[in-house]
Short mmCIF file of all heavy atoms in Angstrom, two decimals:
data_model
loop_
_atom_site.label_atom_id
_atom_site.label_comp_id
_atom_site.label_asym_id
_atom_site.label_seq_id
_atom_site.Cartn_x
_atom_site.Cartn_y
_atom_site.Cartn_z
N MET A 284 150.64 142.82 79.68
CA MET A 284 150.19 141.41 79.74
C MET A 284 149.66 141.08 81.12
O MET A 284 150.35 141.27 82.11
CB MET A 284 151.38 140.48 79.44
CG MET A 284 151.68 140.32 77.96
SD MET A 284 150.53 139.20 77.13
CE MET A 284 151.14 137.60 77.71
N PRO A 285 148.43 140.57 81.20
CA PRO A 285 147.93 140.19 82.52
C PRO A 285 148.66 138.95 83.03
O PRO A 285 149.09 138.11 82.26
CB PRO A 285 146.45 139.89 82.28
CG PRO A 285 146.32 139.61 80.83
CD PRO A 285 147.45 140.32 80.14
N ILE A 286 148.82 138.89 84.32
CA ILE A 286 149.45 137.73 84.94
C ILE A 286 148.49 136.54 84.81
O ILE A 286 147.30 136.67 85.12
CB ILE A 286 149.78 138.02 86.42
CG1 ILE A 286 150.78 139.18 86.52
CG2 ILE A 286 150.34 136.78 87.11
CD1 ILE A 286 151.04 139.67 87.92
N PRO A 287 148.96 135.39 84.31
CA PRO A 287 148.06 134.25 84.10
C PRO A 287 147.75 133.51 85.40
O PRO A 287 148.40 132.55 85.76
CB PRO A 287 148.85 133.35 83.15
CG PRO A 287 150.28 133.67 83.43
CD PRO A 287 150.33 135.08 83.91
N ILE A 288 146.73 133.99 86.07
CA ILE A 288 146.33 133.40 87.35
C ILE A 288 145.20 132.41 87.11
O ILE A 288 144.25 132.72 86.38
CB ILE A 288 145.86 134.50 88.33
CG1 ILE A 288 146.99 135.51 88.56
CG2 ILE A 288 145.43 133.89 89.66
CD1 ILE A 288 146.52 136.82 89.16
N GLN A 289 145.32 131.24 87.70
CA GLN A 289 144.31 130.19 87.51
C GLN A 289 143.70 129.77 88.85
O GLN A 289 144.32 129.95 89.90
CB GLN A 289 144.93 128.96 86.86
CG GLN A 289 145.48 129.22 85.47
CD GLN A 289 146.13 127.99 84.87
OE1 GLN A 289 146.06 126.89 85.40
NE2 GLN A 289 146.79 128.18 83.74
N ILE A 290 142.52 129.18 88.74
CA ILE A 290 141.87 128.65 89.94
C ILE A 290 142.78 127.58 90.55
O ILE A 290 143.34 126.76 89.84
CB ILE A 290 140.48 128.06 89.58
CG1 ILE A 290 139.52 129.20 89.21
CG2 ILE A 290 139.91 127.25 90.74
CD1 ILE A 290 138.23 128.74 88.59
N GLY A 291 142.93 127.64 91.86
CA GLY A 291 143.77 126.68 92.55
C GLY A 291 145.18 127.17 92.81
O GLY A 291 145.91 126.58 93.60
N ASP A 292 145.56 128.26 92.13
CA ASP A 292 146.89 128.83 92.36
C ASP A 292 146.99 129.35 93.79
O ASP A 292 146.01 129.85 94.35
CB ASP A 292 147.15 130.01 91.41
CG ASP A 292 147.45 129.56 89.99
OD1 ASP A 292 147.48 128.35 89.75
OD2 ASP A 292 147.65 130.45 89.14
N ILE A 293 148.17 129.24 94.34
CA ILE A 293 148.43 129.82 95.66
C ILE A 293 149.24 131.09 95.46
O ILE A 293 150.32 131.07 94.87
CB ILE A 293 149.17 128.82 96.58
CG1 ILE A 293 148.27 127.61 96.81
CG2 ILE A 293 149.55 129.48 97.90
CD1 ILE A 293 148.98 126.42 97.41
N ILE A 294 148.67 132.19 95.90
CA ILE A 294 149.28 133.50 95.72
C ILE A 294 149.89 133.94 97.05
O ILE A 294 149.21 133.94 98.07
CB ILE A 294 148.21 134.54 95.31
CG1 ILE A 294 147.43 134.09 94.07
CG2 ILE A 294 148.83 135.93 95.13
CD1 ILE A 294 148.20 134.08 92.79
N GLU A 295 151.16 134.30 96.98
CA GLU A 295 151.78 134.89 98.15
C GLU A 295 151.82 136.39 97.92
O GLU A 295 152.28 136.85 96.88
CB GLU A 295 153.19 134.32 98.33
CG GLU A 295 153.76 134.63 99.71
CD GLU A 295 155.14 133.99 99.90
OE1 GLU A 295 155.40 132.91 99.35
OE2 GLU A 295 155.95 134.63 100.59
N THR A 296 151.32 137.15 98.88
CA THR A 296 151.23 138.60 98.71
C THR A 296 152.31 139.31 99.51
O THR A 296 152.85 138.77 100.47
CB THR A 296 149.85 139.11 99.17
OG1 THR A 296 149.60 138.66 100.49
CG2 THR A 296 148.76 138.62 98.26
N LYS A 297 152.59 140.54 99.08
CA LYS A 297 153.58 141.37 99.77
C LYS A 297 153.04 141.79 101.12
O LYS A 297 153.77 141.88 102.10
CB LYS A 297 153.92 142.61 98.94
CG LYS A 297 154.63 142.26 97.64
CD LYS A 297 154.67 143.45 96.69
CE LYS A 297 155.20 143.05 95.33
NZ LYS A 297 154.81 143.96 94.28
N LYS A 298 151.75 142.08 101.13
CA LYS A 298 151.12 142.54 102.36
C LYS A 298 150.36 141.38 102.99
O LYS A 298 149.67 140.65 102.30
CB LYS A 298 150.12 143.65 101.99
CG LYS A 298 150.08 144.79 102.99
CD LYS A 298 149.09 145.85 102.53
CE LYS A 298 148.09 146.12 103.62
NZ LYS A 298 147.03 147.03 103.17
N GLN A 299 150.50 141.22 104.28
CA GLN A 299 149.80 140.11 104.91
C GLN A 299 148.36 140.46 105.26
O GLN A 299 147.99 141.62 105.40
CB GLN A 299 150.57 139.66 106.16
CG GLN A 299 150.61 140.70 107.26
CD GLN A 299 151.46 140.24 108.44
OE1 GLN A 299 152.37 139.45 108.28
NE2 GLN A 299 151.16 140.75 109.61
N HIS A 300 147.55 139.41 105.37
CA HIS A 300 146.16 139.54 105.80
C HIS A 300 146.16 139.92 107.29
O HIS A 300 147.13 139.63 107.99
CB HIS A 300 145.47 138.18 105.57
CG HIS A 300 143.99 138.26 105.57
ND1 HIS A 300 143.22 137.52 106.43
CD2 HIS A 300 143.15 139.00 104.81
CE1 HIS A 300 141.94 137.81 106.19
NE2 HIS A 300 141.88 138.69 105.21
N PRO A 301 145.11 140.57 107.77
CA PRO A 301 145.08 140.92 109.19
C PRO A 301 145.34 139.73 110.13
O PRO A 301 145.83 139.92 111.25
CB PRO A 301 143.66 141.47 109.39
CG PRO A 301 143.30 142.03 108.06
CD PRO A 301 143.97 141.14 107.04
N CYS A 302 145.06 138.52 109.69
CA CYS A 302 145.30 137.35 110.54
C CYS A 302 146.78 136.95 110.58
O CYS A 302 147.17 136.09 111.35
CB CYS A 302 144.45 136.16 110.09
SG CYS A 302 145.04 135.40 108.56
N GLY A 303 147.58 137.55 109.70
CA GLY A 303 149.01 137.27 109.69
C GLY A 303 149.47 136.40 108.54
O GLY A 303 150.67 136.30 108.27
N ALA A 304 148.52 135.76 107.84
CA ALA A 304 148.89 134.88 106.72
C ALA A 304 149.21 135.70 105.48
O ALA A 304 148.69 136.80 105.29
CB ALA A 304 147.75 133.91 106.43
N LYS A 305 150.07 135.13 104.63
CA LYS A 305 150.45 135.81 103.38
C LYS A 305 150.09 134.99 102.16
O LYS A 305 150.43 135.36 101.04
CB LYS A 305 151.95 136.07 103.38
CG LYS A 305 152.37 137.25 104.24
CD LYS A 305 153.84 137.53 104.05
CE LYS A 305 154.19 138.91 104.57
NZ LYS A 305 155.61 139.19 104.36
N LYS A 306 149.45 133.85 102.37
CA LYS A 306 149.12 132.99 101.23
C LYS A 306 147.62 132.89 101.06
O LYS A 306 146.87 132.74 102.03
CB LYS A 306 149.72 131.60 101.43
CG LYS A 306 151.22 131.61 101.22
CD LYS A 306 151.81 130.24 101.38
CE LYS A 306 153.33 130.29 101.18
NZ LYS A 306 153.95 129.02 101.55
N PHE A 307 147.21 132.96 99.79
CA PHE A 307 145.79 132.93 99.44
C PHE A 307 145.58 131.95 98.30
O PHE A 307 146.39 131.89 97.37
CB PHE A 307 145.32 134.33 99.02
CG PHE A 307 145.48 135.37 100.10
CD1 PHE A 307 146.69 136.02 100.28
CD2 PHE A 307 144.42 135.69 100.94
CE1 PHE A 307 146.84 136.98 101.29
CE2 PHE A 307 144.56 136.64 101.94
CZ PHE A 307 145.78 137.28 102.11
N ILE A 308 144.47 131.24 98.35
CA ILE A 308 144.16 130.28 97.29
C ILE A 308 143.11 130.90 96.38
O ILE A 308 142.08 131.39 96.85
CB ILE A 308 143.64 128.96 97.89
CG1 ILE A 308 144.71 128.37 98.83
CG2 ILE A 308 143.29 127.96 96.79
CD1 ILE A 308 144.12 127.55 99.95
N ILE A 309 143.36 130.86 95.08
CA ILE A 309 142.42 131.43 94.11
C ILE A 309 141.20 130.51 93.95
O ILE A 309 141.34 129.33 93.64
CB ILE A 309 143.11 131.65 92.74
CG1 ILE A 309 144.29 132.62 92.87
CG2 ILE A 309 142.10 132.13 91.69
CD1 ILE A 309 143.93 134.04 93.27
N MET A 310 140.03 131.07 94.18
CA MET A 310 138.78 130.31 94.11
C MET A 310 138.02 130.60 92.81
O MET A 310 137.29 129.76 92.31
CB MET A 310 137.86 130.66 95.28
CG MET A 310 138.51 130.61 96.65
SD MET A 310 139.01 128.97 97.13
CE MET A 310 137.41 128.27 97.50
N ARG A 311 138.13 131.83 92.34
CA ARG A 311 137.41 132.21 91.13
C ARG A 311 138.19 133.29 90.40
O ARG A 311 138.77 134.17 91.02
CB ARG A 311 136.02 132.74 91.49
CG ARG A 311 135.09 132.81 90.28
CD ARG A 311 133.68 133.08 90.67
NE ARG A 311 133.07 131.96 91.36
CZ ARG A 311 131.80 131.92 91.74
NH1 ARG A 311 131.01 132.96 91.50
NH2 ARG A 311 131.31 130.87 92.36
N THR A 312 138.20 133.21 89.06
CA THR A 312 138.92 134.21 88.27
C THR A 312 137.93 134.97 87.39
O THR A 312 136.79 134.56 87.21
CB THR A 312 139.97 133.54 87.37
OG1 THR A 312 139.31 132.64 86.49
CG2 THR A 312 141.01 132.79 88.17
N GLY A 313 138.38 136.08 86.84
CA GLY A 313 137.53 136.90 85.98
C GLY A 313 137.94 138.35 86.11
O GLY A 313 139.10 138.65 86.30
N MET A 314 136.96 139.24 86.00
CA MET A 314 137.25 140.67 86.19
C MET A 314 137.73 140.88 87.62
O MET A 314 138.64 141.65 87.88
CB MET A 314 135.98 141.50 85.97
CG MET A 314 135.50 141.52 84.54
SD MET A 314 136.56 142.58 83.52
CE MET A 314 136.01 144.19 84.10
N ASP A 315 137.07 140.21 88.53
CA ASP A 315 137.47 140.22 89.93
C ASP A 315 137.84 138.79 90.31
O ASP A 315 137.35 137.84 89.72
CB ASP A 315 136.34 140.70 90.83
CG ASP A 315 136.00 142.15 90.58
OD1 ASP A 315 136.93 142.97 90.57
OD2 ASP A 315 134.81 142.45 90.38
N PHE A 316 138.68 138.69 91.30
CA PHE A 316 139.12 137.39 91.77
C PHE A 316 138.57 137.14 93.16
O PHE A 316 138.45 138.05 93.95
CB PHE A 316 140.65 137.33 91.83
CG PHE A 316 141.29 137.23 90.48
CD1 PHE A 316 141.39 138.35 89.67
CD2 PHE A 316 141.77 136.03 90.02
CE1 PHE A 316 141.96 138.26 88.41
CE2 PHE A 316 142.35 135.93 88.76
CZ PHE A 316 142.45 137.05 87.96
N ARG A 317 138.23 135.88 93.42
CA ARG A 317 137.89 135.52 94.78
C ARG A 317 138.98 134.60 95.29
O ARG A 317 139.38 133.66 94.61
CB ARG A 317 136.53 134.81 94.85
CG ARG A 317 136.08 134.55 96.28
CD ARG A 317 134.56 134.43 96.37
NE ARG A 317 134.04 133.40 95.49
CZ ARG A 317 133.78 132.14 95.87
NH1 ARG A 317 134.00 131.77 97.11
NH2 ARG A 317 133.30 131.27 95.02
N MET A 318 139.49 134.92 96.45
CA MET A 318 140.55 134.07 97.01
C MET A 318 140.31 133.84 98.49
O MET A 318 139.65 134.63 99.16
CB MET A 318 141.92 134.68 96.75
CG MET A 318 142.12 136.08 97.28
SD MET A 318 143.69 136.74 96.69
CE MET A 318 143.84 138.16 97.78
N GLN A 319 140.83 132.71 98.94
CA GLN A 319 140.62 132.33 100.33
C GLN A 319 141.94 132.42 101.08
O GLN A 319 142.96 131.92 100.63
CB GLN A 319 140.09 130.90 100.40
CG GLN A 319 139.73 130.48 101.81
CD GLN A 319 139.09 129.11 101.83
OE1 GLN A 319 139.45 128.23 101.06
NE2 GLN A 319 138.11 128.93 102.70
N CYS A 320 141.90 133.07 102.22
CA CYS A 320 143.08 133.21 103.06
C CYS A 320 143.46 131.83 103.62
O CYS A 320 142.59 131.10 104.09
CB CYS A 320 142.80 134.19 104.20
SG CYS A 320 144.17 134.32 105.35
N SER A 321 144.74 131.52 103.57
CA SER A 321 145.20 130.21 104.06
C SER A 321 145.24 130.18 105.59
O SER A 321 145.33 129.11 106.18
CB SER A 321 146.58 129.89 103.50
OG SER A 321 147.53 130.83 103.99
N GLY A 322 145.18 131.35 106.20
CA GLY A 322 145.24 131.40 107.66
C GLY A 322 143.87 131.28 108.30
O GLY A 322 143.57 130.33 109.01
N CYS A 323 143.00 132.25 108.00
CA CYS A 323 141.70 132.32 108.68
C CYS A 323 140.56 131.78 107.81
O CYS A 323 139.41 131.77 108.24
CB CYS A 323 141.40 133.76 109.09
SG CYS A 323 141.23 134.90 107.71
N GLN A 324 140.86 131.35 106.59
CA GLN A 324 139.88 130.76 105.66
C GLN A 324 138.85 131.76 105.15
O GLN A 324 137.89 131.40 104.47
CB GLN A 324 139.12 129.56 106.29
CG GLN A 324 140.00 128.55 107.01
CD GLN A 324 141.06 127.94 106.11
OE1 GLN A 324 140.78 127.59 104.97
NE2 GLN A 324 142.27 127.85 106.60
N LYS A 325 139.04 133.03 105.46
CA LYS A 325 138.10 134.04 104.99
C LYS A 325 138.25 134.21 103.48
O LYS A 325 139.36 134.14 102.95
CB LYS A 325 138.38 135.37 105.69
CG LYS A 325 137.22 136.32 105.60
CD LYS A 325 137.47 137.62 106.35
CE LYS A 325 136.36 138.57 105.96
NZ LYS A 325 136.65 139.94 106.26
N GLN A 326 137.12 134.43 102.79
CA GLN A 326 137.17 134.63 101.34
C GLN A 326 137.06 136.12 101.03
O GLN A 326 136.27 136.83 101.62
CB GLN A 326 136.07 133.84 100.65
CG GLN A 326 136.32 132.35 100.80
CD GLN A 326 135.45 131.49 99.91
OE1 GLN A 326 134.72 132.00 99.07
NE2 GLN A 326 135.54 130.19 100.08
N ILE A 327 137.89 136.54 100.06
CA ILE A 327 138.00 137.95 99.73
C ILE A 327 137.78 138.14 98.24
O ILE A 327 138.29 137.35 97.44
CB ILE A 327 139.43 138.45 100.06
CG1 ILE A 327 139.77 138.17 101.52
CG2 ILE A 327 139.61 139.91 99.71
CD1 ILE A 327 141.24 137.87 101.72
N TRP A 328 137.04 139.18 97.87
CA TRP A 328 136.95 139.57 96.46
C TRP A 328 137.97 140.67 96.23
O TRP A 328 138.10 141.57 97.05
CB TRP A 328 135.56 140.11 96.13
CG TRP A 328 134.53 139.05 95.96
CD1 TRP A 328 133.62 138.67 96.90
CD2 TRP A 328 134.28 138.24 94.81
NE1 TRP A 328 132.83 137.66 96.39
CE2 TRP A 328 133.21 137.38 95.11
CE3 TRP A 328 134.88 138.15 93.54
CZ2 TRP A 328 132.72 136.45 94.21
CZ3 TRP A 328 134.38 137.22 92.64
CH2 TRP A 328 133.31 136.39 92.97
N ILE A 329 138.70 140.58 95.12
CA ILE A 329 139.71 141.60 94.83
C ILE A 329 139.78 141.84 93.33
O ILE A 329 139.65 140.91 92.54
CB ILE A 329 141.09 141.18 95.43
CG1 ILE A 329 142.12 142.30 95.26
CG2 ILE A 329 141.59 139.88 94.84
CD1 ILE A 329 143.36 142.12 96.11
N GLU A 330 139.97 143.12 92.94
CA GLU A 330 140.10 143.45 91.53
C GLU A 330 141.44 142.94 91.01
O GLU A 330 142.43 142.92 91.73
CB GLU A 330 140.10 144.98 91.35
CG GLU A 330 138.81 145.66 91.68
CD GLU A 330 139.02 147.17 91.82
OE1 GLU A 330 139.77 147.73 91.01
OE2 GLU A 330 138.43 147.74 92.75
N ARG A 331 141.46 142.56 89.72
CA ARG A 331 142.69 142.03 89.12
C ARG A 331 143.86 143.01 89.29
O ARG A 331 144.95 142.61 89.70
CB ARG A 331 142.48 141.74 87.63
CG ARG A 331 143.77 141.35 86.94
CD ARG A 331 143.57 141.02 85.48
NE ARG A 331 143.24 139.62 85.27
CZ ARG A 331 144.17 138.65 85.20
NH1 ARG A 331 145.44 138.92 85.34
NH2 ARG A 331 143.81 137.41 85.00
N ALA A 332 143.63 144.28 88.98
CA ALA A 332 144.72 145.26 89.05
C ALA A 332 145.32 145.34 90.45
O ALA A 332 146.54 145.41 90.61
CB ALA A 332 144.22 146.64 88.60
N LYS A 333 144.45 145.31 91.43
CA LYS A 333 144.92 145.38 92.82
C LYS A 333 145.69 144.13 93.19
O LYS A 333 146.73 144.19 93.83
CB LYS A 333 143.71 145.49 93.77
CG LYS A 333 143.42 146.90 94.23
CD LYS A 333 142.37 146.87 95.32
CE LYS A 333 141.71 148.23 95.46
NZ LYS A 333 140.55 148.17 96.35
N LEU A 334 145.15 142.99 92.78
CA LEU A 334 145.79 141.72 93.11
C LEU A 334 147.18 141.64 92.47
O LEU A 334 148.15 141.27 93.12
CB LEU A 334 144.92 140.55 92.65
CG LEU A 334 145.50 139.15 92.85
CD1 LEU A 334 145.79 138.87 94.32
CD2 LEU A 334 144.57 138.08 92.30
N GLU A 335 147.26 142.03 91.20
CA GLU A 335 148.54 141.92 90.48
C GLU A 335 149.63 142.74 91.16
O GLU A 335 150.79 142.34 91.18
CB GLU A 335 148.36 142.36 89.02
CG GLU A 335 147.57 141.34 88.22
CD GLU A 335 147.64 141.59 86.71
OE1 GLU A 335 148.15 142.64 86.30
OE2 GLU A 335 147.15 140.73 85.96
N LYS A 336 149.25 143.89 91.71
CA LYS A 336 150.24 144.73 92.39
C LYS A 336 150.75 144.09 93.67
O LYS A 336 151.84 144.38 94.14
CB LYS A 336 149.62 146.09 92.72
CG LYS A 336 149.71 147.07 91.56
CD LYS A 336 149.14 148.41 91.97
CE LYS A 336 148.40 149.05 90.81
NZ LYS A 336 147.38 149.99 91.24
N ARG A 337 149.92 143.25 94.26
CA ARG A 337 150.28 142.67 95.57
C ARG A 337 151.00 141.34 95.49
O ARG A 337 151.51 140.85 96.48
CB ARG A 337 149.00 142.45 96.39
CG ARG A 337 148.33 143.75 96.77
CD ARG A 337 147.18 143.48 97.69
NE ARG A 337 146.38 144.67 97.86
CZ ARG A 337 145.29 144.73 98.62
NH1 ARG A 337 144.89 143.66 99.27
NH2 ARG A 337 144.62 145.86 98.74
N ILE A 338 151.03 140.75 94.31
CA ILE A 338 151.60 139.41 94.19
C ILE A 338 153.11 139.39 94.34
O ILE A 338 153.82 140.15 93.71
CB ILE A 338 151.23 138.76 92.83
CG1 ILE A 338 149.73 138.56 92.75
CG2 ILE A 338 151.96 137.42 92.66
CD1 ILE A 338 149.27 138.04 91.40
N LYS A 339 153.57 138.48 95.18
CA LYS A 339 155.00 138.29 95.35
C LYS A 339 155.40 136.97 94.68
O LYS A 339 156.45 136.88 94.08
CB LYS A 339 155.31 138.24 96.84
CG LYS A 339 156.75 138.40 97.18
CD LYS A 339 156.91 138.52 98.69
CE LYS A 339 158.28 138.04 99.11
NZ LYS A 339 158.31 137.77 100.56
N ARG A 340 154.55 135.96 94.82
CA ARG A 340 154.87 134.65 94.29
C ARG A 340 153.58 133.90 93.95
O ARG A 340 152.57 134.03 94.65
CB ARG A 340 155.67 133.87 95.33
CG ARG A 340 156.15 132.51 94.88
CD ARG A 340 157.07 131.88 95.91
NE ARG A 340 158.31 132.62 96.07
CZ ARG A 340 158.83 132.97 97.24
NH1 ARG A 340 158.24 132.66 98.35
NH2 ARG A 340 159.97 133.63 97.28
N ILE A 341 153.66 133.12 92.87
CA ILE A 341 152.54 132.25 92.51
C ILE A 341 153.03 130.82 92.51
O ILE A 341 154.06 130.51 91.91
CB ILE A 341 151.97 132.58 91.11
CG1 ILE A 341 151.54 134.05 91.02
CG2 ILE A 341 150.78 131.66 90.77
CD1 ILE A 341 151.14 134.48 89.61
N THR A 342 152.30 129.95 93.18
CA THR A 342 152.64 128.53 93.19
C THR A 342 151.48 127.74 92.60
O THR A 342 150.32 127.97 92.95
CB THR A 342 152.90 128.05 94.64
OG1 THR A 342 153.83 128.93 95.25
CG2 THR A 342 153.46 126.65 94.65
N ARG A 343 151.81 126.85 91.66
CA ARG A 343 150.80 126.01 91.02
C ARG A 343 151.28 124.57 91.06
O ARG A 343 152.38 124.28 90.59
CB ARG A 343 150.59 126.47 89.57
CG ARG A 343 149.46 125.75 88.85
CD ARG A 343 149.26 126.35 87.46
NE ARG A 343 148.91 127.76 87.55
CZ ARG A 343 149.23 128.67 86.62
NH1 ARG A 343 149.88 128.33 85.55
NH2 ARG A 343 148.90 129.93 86.78
N ASN A 344 150.50 123.70 91.62
CA ASN A 344 150.89 122.28 91.77
C ASN A 344 152.27 122.15 92.40
O ASN A 344 153.08 121.32 91.99
CB ASN A 344 150.86 121.58 90.41
CG ASN A 344 149.49 121.63 89.76
OD1 ASN A 344 148.47 121.54 90.45
ND2 ASN A 344 149.45 121.82 88.45
N GLY A 345 152.53 123.01 93.36
CA GLY A 345 153.79 122.92 94.09
C GLY A 345 154.98 123.53 93.39
O GLY A 345 156.10 123.45 93.88
N GLU A 346 154.76 124.14 92.22
CA GLU A 346 155.87 124.75 91.50
C GLU A 346 155.66 126.25 91.31
O GLU A 346 154.53 126.70 91.14
CB GLU A 346 156.02 124.09 90.12
CG GLU A 346 156.52 122.67 90.22
CD GLU A 346 156.68 122.02 88.86
OE1 GLU A 346 156.82 122.73 87.87
OE2 GLU A 346 156.62 120.78 88.82
N ASN A 347 156.76 126.97 91.30
CA ASN A 347 156.69 128.41 91.08
C ASN A 347 156.24 128.73 89.65
O ASN A 347 156.66 128.06 88.72
CB ASN A 347 158.07 129.04 91.27
CG ASN A 347 158.29 129.47 92.70
OD1 ASN A 347 157.39 129.48 93.51
ND2 ASN A 347 159.52 129.84 93.00
N VAL A 348 155.38 129.74 89.52
CA VAL A 348 154.94 130.18 88.20
C VAL A 348 155.65 131.50 87.90
O VAL A 348 155.63 132.41 88.71
CB VAL A 348 153.40 130.40 88.18
CG1 VAL A 348 152.96 130.97 86.83
CG2 VAL A 348 152.68 129.10 88.48
N GLU A 349 156.28 131.57 86.75
CA GLU A 349 156.94 132.80 86.34
C GLU A 349 155.91 133.79 85.85
O GLU A 349 154.95 133.41 85.19
CB GLU A 349 157.94 132.51 85.21
CG GLU A 349 159.06 131.56 85.57
CD GLU A 349 160.00 132.13 86.63
OE1 GLU A 349 160.16 133.36 86.67
OE2 GLU A 349 160.56 131.32 87.41
N PHE A 350 156.10 135.05 86.19
CA PHE A 350 155.18 136.09 85.69
C PHE A 350 155.89 137.41 85.54
O PHE A 350 157.05 137.53 85.92
CB PHE A 350 153.95 136.23 86.60
CG PHE A 350 154.25 136.68 88.00
CD1 PHE A 350 154.23 138.03 88.31
CD2 PHE A 350 154.56 135.76 88.98
CE1 PHE A 350 154.51 138.44 89.61
CE2 PHE A 350 154.83 136.17 90.28
CZ PHE A 350 154.81 137.52 90.59
ZN1 ZN B 1380 143.40 135.64 107.04
#
Protein backbone atom coordinates (compact mmCIF):
# COMPACT_ATOMS: atom_id res chain seq x y z
CA MET A 1 0.00 0.00 0.00
CA PRO A 2 1.45 3.38 -0.94
CA ILE A 3 1.65 5.93 1.84
CA PRO A 4 -1.17 8.48 1.28
CA ILE A 5 0.86 11.64 0.87
CA GLN A 6 -0.99 14.83 -0.06
CA ILE A 7 -0.01 18.30 -1.16
CA GLY A 8 0.63 20.46 1.87
CA ASP A 9 1.72 17.58 4.09
CA ILE A 10 4.81 18.16 6.18
CA ILE A 11 7.18 15.23 5.96
CA GLU A 12 9.82 14.65 8.56
CA THR A 13 12.65 12.54 7.20
CA LYS A 14 15.14 10.24 8.89
CA LYS A 15 17.99 11.87 7.05
CA GLN A 16 18.43 15.59 7.25
CA HIS A 17 18.92 17.95 4.33
CA PRO A 18 22.44 19.36 3.93
CA CYS A 19 21.17 22.60 5.51
CA GLY A 20 20.30 20.70 8.69
CA ALA A 21 16.50 20.74 8.39
CA LYS A 22 14.47 17.53 8.59
CA LYS A 23 11.07 18.83 7.54
CA PHE A 24 9.82 19.16 3.99
CA ILE A 25 6.54 20.46 2.61
CA ILE A 26 4.93 18.50 -0.23
CA MET A 27 4.38 20.75 -3.25
CA ARG A 28 3.39 18.21 -5.90
CA THR A 29 2.42 14.54 -5.89
CA GLY A 30 2.46 11.84 -8.57
CA MET A 31 5.06 9.39 -9.81
CA ASP A 32 7.62 11.77 -8.40
CA PHE A 33 7.13 14.20 -5.57
CA ARG A 34 8.29 17.76 -5.32
CA MET A 35 8.94 19.02 -1.84
CA GLN A 36 10.35 22.15 -0.33
CA CYS A 37 12.89 22.13 2.47
CA SER A 38 11.63 24.00 5.52
CA GLY A 39 15.15 25.21 6.27
CA CYS A 40 16.68 26.55 3.06
CA GLN A 41 13.46 26.65 0.96
CA LYS A 42 15.13 24.62 -1.78
CA GLN A 43 12.77 22.46 -3.84
CA ILE A 44 13.63 18.83 -4.47
CA TRP A 45 12.22 16.21 -6.82
CA ILE A 46 12.15 12.72 -5.32
CA GLU A 47 10.80 9.34 -6.42
CA ARG A 48 7.92 7.95 -4.35
CA ALA A 49 9.85 4.78 -3.40
CA LYS A 50 12.80 6.80 -2.16
CA LEU A 51 10.63 9.23 -0.27
CA GLU A 52 8.62 6.48 1.43
CA LYS A 53 11.81 4.90 2.77
CA ARG A 54 12.92 8.19 4.29
CA ILE A 55 9.70 9.20 6.01
CA LYS A 56 9.71 9.32 9.77
CA ARG A 57 6.56 11.36 10.35
CA ILE A 58 3.77 12.98 8.36
CA THR A 59 1.90 15.99 9.68
CA ARG A 60 -1.30 17.27 8.06
CA ASN A 61 -3.13 20.33 9.39
CA GLY A 62 -1.07 20.06 12.54
CA GLU A 63 -1.97 16.43 13.20
CA ASN A 64 0.02 13.25 12.81
CA VAL A 65 -0.96 11.02 9.89
CA GLU A 66 -0.80 7.28 10.47
CA PHE A 67 0.90 5.25 7.76
ZN1 LIG B 1 17.48 22.55 3.23
